[in-house]
Amino acid sequence: MSRIVFLNGSFLPIEEAKVPFMDRGFMFGDGVYEGIGVLDGQLIDNEAHLERLERSLAEVRIRNPYSRTEWTSLQEEIVRRNGMTEGFIYFQVTRGVAERDFFFPENAEPTVAMFTQAKAIADAPAARTGIAVVTVPDQRWARRDIKSINLLAQVLAKQAAKEAGAQEAWLVEDGFVTEGGSSSGFIVTKKGSIVVRPLSNAILPGITRKSLLRLSEEARIPLEERRFTVEEAYDAAEAFLTSASNFVLPIVTIDGRSIGDGKPGPVTKRLRELYLSMARVPAMAAE
Ligand code: PMP
């Protein structure tokens, strides 16, 4: 069975889904996106993802073509049509199709595209072994709080990480870690506090980050919301990342240096377990 995607009102086989040449997403990267995790066939933290989508669209002045209820039905339908129980849903909205010109087009309809990627998240090997990250300069624009489809800086950063034998890049500005190429970055101090950069225009407000902060508060794990340097990360007891498609992933080396004893740490493991149990609660009970 071919993968079924959603494009501008229709579900269709991916081979038949065509976006016009002059789409502003293609020409300018003029659009925003969201990505959400699916576990046991359930959408995780969907309301928060839809809220962030609404915010991104408003910030770049693209009309939101659907209500939250409509988005949710489309997401549920694409999961159902692809028979996906675990993985990732990607969806993007661009400013639409118009002759190439920088000014907003008068009458363009937003282009909406959505697809699924089946993936083992709960039982991912990387969660057992931990991953390597390398640091690279943060070369992105000044509005990283908007989930823009312009990801060229992240493509280059993550490719540099791959070529250095790592699985994620940590982006660095003025000596401080901003976040991962496609994840939020955390360290755990030797005293056992979680440290994470506060929200600002410098980072994406990660939805998994937000849930993790709530879970750590409930578990009474001390939290310091502040910037941390690369040196502090090298010297941390533990490091980890969060994202919708990975939940919580241990980081065992940064720039080739072992973090802690070079194995996934106890605080990270506990947080991953807490996140998994939260994600596994049937949606009805969680509301
Ligand atoms: N920061 C960046 C730059 C990202 O691309 C992502 C993943 N989209 C995240 C953080 C994590 O956000 P979330 O937990 O909402 O997936």
Side-chain angles (χ1 to χ4, degrees):
M1 187 189 86
S2 158
R3 183 155 44 147
I4 302 298
V5 300
F6 175 83
L7 181 63
N8 295 334
S10 313
F11 288 96
L12 67 178
I14 192 163
E15 300 76 22
E16 291 170 27
K18 303 265 192 284
V19 177
F21 191 89
M22 285 293 182
D23 191 272
R24 288 177 65 101
F26 180 47
M27 283 291 158
F28 293 117
D30 186 0
V32 300
Y33 77 107
E34 269 302 325
I36 90 157
V38 174
L39 188 67
D40 301 336
Q42 306 267 6
L43 314 174
I44 299 165
D45 274 340
N46 197 38
E47 283 297 304
H49 282 280
L50 292 177
E51 190 183 337
R52 186 173 65 186
L53 176 75
E54 287 162 7
R55 181 178 179 278
S56 293
L57 286 168
E59 289 295 315
V60 301
R61 296 162 61 198
I62 294 178
R63 186 172 62 80
N64 188 346
Y66 297 119
S67 67
R68 279 199 203 178
T69 317
E70 287 166 334
W71 276 117
T72 307
S73 338
L74 295 174
Q75 293 165 314
E76 288 172 351
E77 182 70 9
I78 205 165
V79 166
R80 196 185 65 73
R81 289 195 187 224
N82 287 283
M84 188 176 77
T85 52
E86 193 166 329
F88 183 65
I89 309 176
Y90 174 99
F91 47 114
Q92 73 172 37
V93 183
T94 78
R95 204 178 304 275
V97 181
E99 181 58 41
R100 188 179 185 281
D101 185 357
F102 285 86
F103 308 112
F104 292 177
E106 298 279 330
N107 300 312
E109 284 297 310
T111 300
V112 178
M114 186 185 295
F115 64 85
T116 53
Q117 278 179 339
K119 175 183 172 188
I121 310 181
D123 202 19
R128 285 190 292 276
T129 58
I131 62 158
V133 310
V134 295
T135 59
V136 299
D138 195 336
Q139 295 176 322
R140 297 174 300 162
W141 71 326
R143 289 300 308 276
R144 302 163 190 157
D145 55 312
I146 298 171
K147 203 159 168 56
S148 153
I149 61 170
N150 280 273
L151 295 172
L152 189 52
Q154 286 93 318
V155 166
L156 296 177
K158 288 180 75 95
Q159 181 62 21
K162 185 179 175 191
E163 288 171 9
Q167 290 77 46
E168 176 61 304
W170 268 14
L171 311 176
V172 179
E173 190 168 61
D174 303 329
F176 292 93
V177 175
T178 52
E179 59 185 331
S182 58
S183 55
S184 307
F186 297 74
I187 55 171
V188 179
T189 65
K190 293 193 170 114
K191 289 188 176 158
S193 310
I194 301 170
V195 184
V196 68
R197 187 172 176 120
L199 296 183
S200 70
N201 291 350
I203 61 169
L204 184 78
I207 302 303
T208 322
R209 173 193 183 283
K210 185 174 166 189
S211 288
L212 192 103
L213 294 194
R214 196 188 61 241
L215 292 170
S216 61
E217 195 180 3
E218 285 165 9
R220 301 193 189 289
I221 304 172
L223 170 76
E224 296 171 37
E225 237 179 311
R226 61 169 174 83
R227 299 187 306 169
F228 57 90
T229 62
V230 176
E231 283 66 34
E232 190 178 2
Y234 291 155
D235 199 36
E238 302 178 32
F240 64 92
L241 62 78
T242 62
S243 77
S245 58
N246 289 296
F247 300 170
V248 178
L249 264 195
I251 292 170
V252 291
T253 71
I254 300 176
D255 294 335
R257 299 163 208 234
S258 286
I259 305 306
D261 62 2
K263 298 199 188 86
V267 176
T268 305
K269 281 190 196 161
R270 178 155 179 235
L271 288 167
R272 183 173 170 87
E273 285 309 313
L274 287 172
Y275 192 87
L276 273 167
S277 354
M278 185 272 294
R280 284 225 153 97
V281 172
M284 293 297 284
E287 273 160 13

